Amino acid sequence: MSIHFPKVGHKEPKAIGLMGGTFDPIHIGHLVTAEEARQQFNLDCVIFIPAGNPPHKNSSKLTDREHRYLMTLLAVANNPYFTLSRIELDKEEPSYTIDTVREFYQKFQGKAKIYFITGADAVLDIITWKDYRELLSMCSFIAATRPGYSLTKLKVLLGPAFSEIIPRIHLLEIPAMAISSTYLRRKVAAGKTIKYLTPASVEQYIYKNRLYHQE
Ligand code: NAP
């Protein structure tokens, strides 16, 4: 796996963020989350990892992976701390987070601290994820939430596993998390503008390729 780290150069990174998501489409909530995580957790870089074949979703309902990849590429292009990986896109089999994190863990030989950044709602069902205990031994989670999100939901859902898991999960409050990919898709389908909700380059890509015109 070859990843270019624009700001890190040839130095060994000490902490990296893996930004996992479907990105259908990517929007400013994702970008603000990644930048905030980078600053708060002193990350050397954030690697966006668009999901190829997410195990918990019906892939036929997702936008073509190459469109999701190109939109993500356009969105991260002007941040020197951001890059992206095709690690999940180039596989046909389900993209389990454990397999992705393990590859990065082995690449850095356990020397770089790994944070998996994603939405808090995705983390809610973490105990159903493949090999979640091993996953939590290799990385911590940064879970983006709306301000005021309470841990109660997580506590109820995780039950006895809560106390084992919670030390590995950092909640990160992001005001822009009120924006969601679903919101953007619905707006495009309704013929409404998505200006400022995603970078202009992504907005233009969506119109040019007539994505999301029918929900
Ligand atoms: P999802 O279930 O569609 O998303 C749940 C919520 O989290 C949505 O509100 C979503 O908003 C938000 N979200 C997702 N990714 C985010 C990110 N990087 N930053 C901020 N908010 C985010 O989530 P998903 O995108 O399909 O999956 C998230 C990640 O978890 C992926 O990397 C996926 O592969 C992984 N995952 C792994 C397993 C497993 O290994 N078994 C199971 C489930 C998920 P938006 O819709 O606006 O993005």
Side-chain angles (χ1 to χ4, degrees), residues 152-172:
T152 316
K153 209 168 156 190
L154 199 57
K155 203 168 186 172
V156 171
L157 265 160
L158 295 178
F162 180 80
S163 52
E164 168 201 349
I165 287 171
I166 206 64
R168 307 291 287 167
I169 298 179
H170 308 274
L171 293 185
L172 185 65

Side-chain angles (χ1 to χ4, degrees), residues 19-22 27 30 56-57 96-97 116 118-119 129 177 180-181:
M19 178 77 173
T22 309
H27 53 73
H30 298 127
H56 59 304
K57 283 191 174 162
Y96 292 107
T97 301
F116 191 81
T118 195
W129 292 22
M177 278 304 290
S180 71
S181 298

Side-chain angles (χ1 to χ4, degrees), residues 17-23 30 46-51 88 97 100 115-119 122 129:
L18 304 180
M19 178 77 173
T22 309
F23 305 131
H30 298 127
V46 177
I47 305 165
F48 284 66
I49 306 182
E88 295 191 357
T97 301
T100 303
Y115 291 90
F116 191 81
I117 312 164
T118 195
W129 292 22

Side-chain angles (χ1 to χ4, degrees), residues 75-89:
V76 304
N78 66 358
N79 186 323
Y81 294 99
F82 290 176
T83 187
L84 85 165
S85 163
R86 292 188 57 94
I87 185 169
E88 295 191 357
L89 294 171

Side-chain angles (χ1 to χ4, degrees), residues 18-27 29-31 33-34 48-57 62 88 94-100 116-126 128-132 135 141-146 174 177-185:
L18 304 180
M19 178 77 173
T22 309
F23 305 131
D24 193 13
I26 191 159
H27 53 73
H30 298 127
L31 296 166
T33 298
F48 284 66
I49 306 182
N53 185 5
H56 59 304
K57 283 191 174 162
L62 297 180
E88 295 191 357
S95 23
Y96 292 107
T97 301
I98 180 75
D99 300 328
T100 303
F116 191 81
I117 312 164
T118 195
D121 285 344
V123 176
L124 278 179
D125 60 0
I126 192 162
T128 65
W129 292 22
K130 186 181 165 204
D131 299 333
Y132 79 90
L135 177 61
F141 273 71
I142 299 175
T145 74
R146 283 165 201 96
I174 303 289
M177 278 304 290
I179 298 164
S180 71
S181 298
T182 310
Y183 181 63
L184 269 75
R185 290 196 301 269

